Amino acid sequence: MSRRPAVLGGPPLLADPLPMTRPTIVADDELFGHFGAIFDSGMLTNGPAVAEFERQVAAYLRVDDVIAVSSCTTGLMLVLRCLSASGSVILPSFTFMASGHAVRWNDLRPRFADCEPDTFTLDPQAVRNCSGDDVSVVLGVHTFGVPSDADELAQAAAARGAELIFDAAHGLGGRYRDGTRIGSKGLAEVFSLSPTKALSTGEGGLIATNDPGLAAELRLARNYGNPGDYDSRMIGLNARMTELAAAIGLRNLPLLDATLDRRRRLAGRYAETLATLPVRLQRVPDGTTPVYKDFTVLVTDEEFGLSRDQLAAALAAEGVSTRTYFDPPLHRQRAYTESAAQLPVTEMITRKCLTLPLYSHMPFDLVDRVCEAMALAYAHRHEIAATMGDER
């Protein structure tokens, strides 16, 4: 390549910096008309839009109940509260902090288990091997929108006498190997509708379950535990979704499958173009359908010639934003200093993973430019490494 990388003094590939992600939301006359009707009704919460959104998502997922909440985090908190869980919860350390925070907010002890080195999802064998006889819940995570091995996790949880639930923040619209949608496994699965997700309501969450008793208790719990007579039956939260958020969800839910199809094509473009470079892609288990909430690669010094952080710096100089999910992992975060977990796979992934820009309406040519920037860094890897020193 004749062009010199920007990190070595050349002009950047992108004049306008490329963000990691952007929300994709249709906001048109139909949506604004719905907003107007909500304002005219005077009901900004506990109204018909939330109820209809729950009904439509339940039909989409083919589950009995969906409970709309203010966020995935509050959803996880309330599921654990309504389970009356005690003791400890097995979960991956390679996950967003909300997974662990929901455990700790319920005065439960997190027991961190390792993830699989290729899918980055919770390893069922690690669940079986995790120490402790007080485990009441196993919390799986569909990391970056790749479906966990729910059946194996269910067997591992059952062997311990524990309930299985999922932090499905990244997973809305994905499918398991048996063709069922994410949302249909375990006792409950909890989704996020934050701005980085394929379906966003600004902020919000959804709890999917086929357990009618749990669904009824969750509806109570999201409203302070108050059934309406101000005699609270449990210690709940204000975790209600607003009518305006539900209206956004109702307008955009019919577009979700097309949105996800485009994300998969963008991910396919990445995979095809990066095939000539020595980076490793997250493995999608055969027969499953991923969401590609993120597109993440593993960068190894030995194969690429640059560390993950050196490559990230080179891409930043070209105008390409990246993110190093989830570094540090939970068991090394200061809020979890009591953890003494030894998780070699998690440690390896957190040192080497790099998430590239991806959003649903991202132009395909920008994928090509990101890949061009990576190829440029690889072509000049020795010079870049010498310039940056041994910070690997």
Side-chain angles (χ1 to χ4, degrees):
M1 292 186 179
S2 58
R3 174 189 285 270
R4 285 183 61 75
V7 74
L8 297 178
L13 282 172
L14 298 175
D16 297 318
L18 175 63
M20 270 287 302
T21 186
R22 287 177 173 167
T24 302
I25 295 176
V26 171
D28 55 11
D29 290 344
E30 179 180 339
L31 177 61
F32 295 139
H34 202 164
F35 281 175
I38 291 170
F39 288 130
D40 289 342
S41 75
M43 294 185 66
L44 300 184
T45 188
N46 289 336
V50 167
E52 179 62 16
F53 186 40
E54 291 174 333
R55 188 193 68 77
Q56 290 195 20
V57 175
Y60 175 81
L61 298 176
R62 297 189 178 181
V63 299
D64 292 340
D65 278 291
V66 165
I67 300 91
V69 287
S70 56
S71 70
C72 181
T73 307
T74 56
L76 289 168
M77 291 165 63
L78 292 178
V79 168
L80 290 169
R81 173 58 58 91
C82 291
L83 289 179
S84 299
S86 61
S88 59
V89 176
I90 295 177
L91 73 158
S93 178
F94 189 69
T95 183
F96 186 59
M97 60 191 72
S99 307
H101 288 4
V103 172
R104 290 291 299 274
W105 269 103
N106 280 280
D107 291 325
L108 299 169
R109 179 182 175 186
R111 292 188 181 274
F112 295 116
D114 227 339
C115 52
E116 296 179 335
D118 50 0
T119 66
F120 311 161
T121 60
L122 182 61
D123 186 345
Q125 190 57 47
V127 173
R128 297 184 180 96
N129 296 340
C130 194
S131 62
D133 56 7
D134 65 341
V135 176
S136 60
V137 177
V138 173
L139 174 58
V141 179
H142 305 302
T143 313
F144 306 139
V146 167
S148 298
D149 192 336
D151 294 336
E152 284 293 318
L153 287 174
Q155 293 180 25
R160 305 192 68 122
E163 296 284 2
L164 175 64
I165 65 174
F166 286 97
D167 179 341
H170 299 176
L172 186 61
R175 290 185 183 272
Y176 291 110
R177 188 177 288 111
D178 62 6
T180 59
R181 289 198 187 274
I182 291 177
S184 61
K185 302 288 188 181
L187 188 62
E189 301 205 46
V190 188
F191 299 99
S192 172
L193 302 173
S194 71
T196 62
K197 308 307 186 294
L199 178 66
S200 176
T201 58
E203 291 289 355
L206 299 165
I207 307 168
T209 183
N210 288 312
D211 186 303
L214 177 61
E217 195 167 3
L218 286 166
R219 294 187 193 282
L220 188 65
R222 71 176 173 185
N223 192 34
Y224 303 98
N226 172 23
D229 60 3
Y230 289 89
D231 181 8
S232 58
R233 308 302 197 264
M234 64 182 298
I235 306 299
L237 295 171
N238 177 1
R240 299 186 299 258
M241 176 180 286
T242 69
E243 287 287 281
L244 295 174
I248 297 172
L250 284 167
R251 178 65 187 93
N252 287 270
L253 179 62
L255 310 176
L256 178 58
D257 283 343
T259 296
L260 293 176
D261 180 66
R262 194 172 194 284
R263 293 182 81 93
R264 294 180 191 114
R265 288 188 286 122
L266 287 163
R269 181 77 154 253
Y270 264 129
E272 179 182 0
T273 310
L274 292 176
T276 59
L277 295 178
V279 295
R280 302 181 188 180
L281 310 185
Q282 182 184 18
R283 184 177 71 84
V284 177
D286 291 344
T288 67
T289 304
V291 171
Y292 287 113
K293 184 267 178 187
D294 296 296
F295 189 87
T296 300
V297 299
L298 290 184
V299 181
T300 66
D301 304 351
E302 300 81 8
E303 296 174 353
F304 198 87
L306 295 173
S307 70
R308 182 271 311 274
D309 293 342
Q310 289 173 331
L311 176 58
L315 293 177
E318 303 292 356
V320 176
S321 301
T322 59
R323 193 160 292 170
T324 55
Y325 291 122
F326 297 102
D327 189 10
L330 287 187
H331 74 285
R332 288 202 286 106
Q333 292 184 18
R334 282 177 281 185
Y336 297 88
T337 53
E338 78 284 358
S339 174
Q342 300 296 312
L343 307 174
V345 176
T346 297
E347 296 281 357
M348 178 275 292
I349 292 174
T350 55
R351 288 195 309 270
K352 300 178 183 297
C353 73
L354 187 67
T355 299
L356 305 177
L358 179 66
Y359 48 92
S360 302
H361 59 283
M362 181 176 174
F364 283 88
D365 68 290
L366 286 181
V367 172
D368 298 338
R369 301 309 295 275
V370 174
C371 295
E372 181 184 353
M374 292 180 67
L376 189 61
Y378 179 66
H380 293 265
R381 60 193 179 279
H382 300 302
E383 191 176 356
I384 293 173
T387 300
M388 292 186 177
D390 294 326
E391 298 177 2
R392 301 190 176 195

